[in-house]
Amino acid sequence: MTHSSSSAYIQVTFCGYKVLYTYERFAWIPIVMVYLVALGCGGKHLTNLPPVVPASSVTVLCFAASIAGYMISWATLASDYTIYLDQSAPNSKVFLFAYSGFFFPNVICEMVGAAFAVSMHAPGNEAWLNGYKVNNVGGLLDEVMRPAGGFGKFCIVLLALSCVAASSQCMYSFCVSFQCITPCFARIPRYIYSILAIAM
């Protein structure tokens, strides 16, 4: 965890629920822009793909388990921090908005990621593969966005800082949960728990 992301966690959780909700409401916008830049820089190389090996039942189950593990753990937080609907809203509307908010962003991200992961093995994309071997996904993205120059580096930094949006709710929940244990814990300011959580 970097110092910049740690300080961002503290700042967001220190400000309270309304700031956290507002932050979560708009934090996705720069990430979408980064994805568009990545597709713009590397889209022309997403052709001449190597033959795809048919997926085995083991790989399908492993992929499904990893996605389910992520989504199930995220669902409890999303109900508190990413959905803000009137109590009188119909249940079907709440479900539709919540499910769409989960389904479409994740499917799009996974499809883009799969396209780049497969394409790095295509002829002419050796730099992508080398970047992945050296620095994993970050190295792959660095090579994909290399045509954008300094702006590409800036986009990678934005993408790295997106973990703040994903982790701020966990940090806030950690703080509030500790304050609910006993009345004496409730007297301790919430940001103290944030600092303790980061220190751990």
Side-chain angles (χ1 to χ4, degrees):
M1 184 184 298
T2 63
H3 295 295
S4 58
S5 60
S6 299
S7 63
Y9 295 148
I10 293 175
Q11 291 171 18
V12 173
T13 55
F14 175 76
C15 294
Y17 176 77
K18 289 185 178 180
V19 171
L20 177 62
Y21 172 75
T22 303
Y23 173 74
E24 293 295 330
R25 188 176 181 185
F26 298 105
W28 61 273
I29 296 173
I31 307 309
V32 170
M33 301 300 291
V34 171
Y35 271 84
L36 293 176
V37 171
L39 287 171
C41 291
K44 63 182 178 181
H45 299 289
L46 299 179
T47 57
N48 301 323
L49 301 181
V52 178
V53 178
S56 65
S57 58
V58 173
T59 56
V60 171
L61 286 174
C62 287
F63 178 74
S66 63
I67 297 302
Y70 162 73
M71 295 301 294
I72 291 171
S73 61
W74 178 253
T76 56
L77 294 174
S79 62
D80 289 331
Y81 299 120
T82 62
I83 300 172
Y84 191 72
L85 296 174
D86 192 282
Q87 291 181 351
S88 61
N91 291 341
S92 58
K93 183 178 180 181
V94 174
F95 172 80
L96 180 63
F97 276 79
Y99 186 80
S100 299
F102 273 123
F103 182 77
F104 291 110
N106 281 283
V107 168
I108 291 170
C109 289
E110 289 160 16
M111 290 174 66
V112 172
F116 282 117
V118 173
S119 297
M120 69 182 175
H121 296 285
N125 291 345
E126 290 78 12
W128 290 11
L129 184 59
N130 292 334
Y132 179 79
K133 288 179 178 178
V134 174
N135 288 315
N136 212 314
V137 177
L140 171 60
L141 284 172
D142 183 46
E143 292 297 332
V144 168
M145 296 192 185
R146 191 169 295 278
F151 181 69
K153 300 283 187 186
F154 173 72
C155 288
I156 292 174
V157 172
L158 279 181
L159 198 59
L161 290 175
S162 68
C163 64
V164 175
S167 301
S168 295
Q169 308 97 325
C170 296
M171 191 68 68
Y172 189 84
S173 295
F174 174 87
C175 300
V176 173
S177 297
F178 257 90
Q179 288 181 315
C180 292
I181 293 175
T182 66
C184 62
F185 283 7
R187 298 189 189 99
I188 301 174
R190 188 174 55 246
Y191 68 87
I192 298 295
Y193 294 112
S194 296
I195 295 171
L196 289 175
I198 291 171
M200 288 191 283

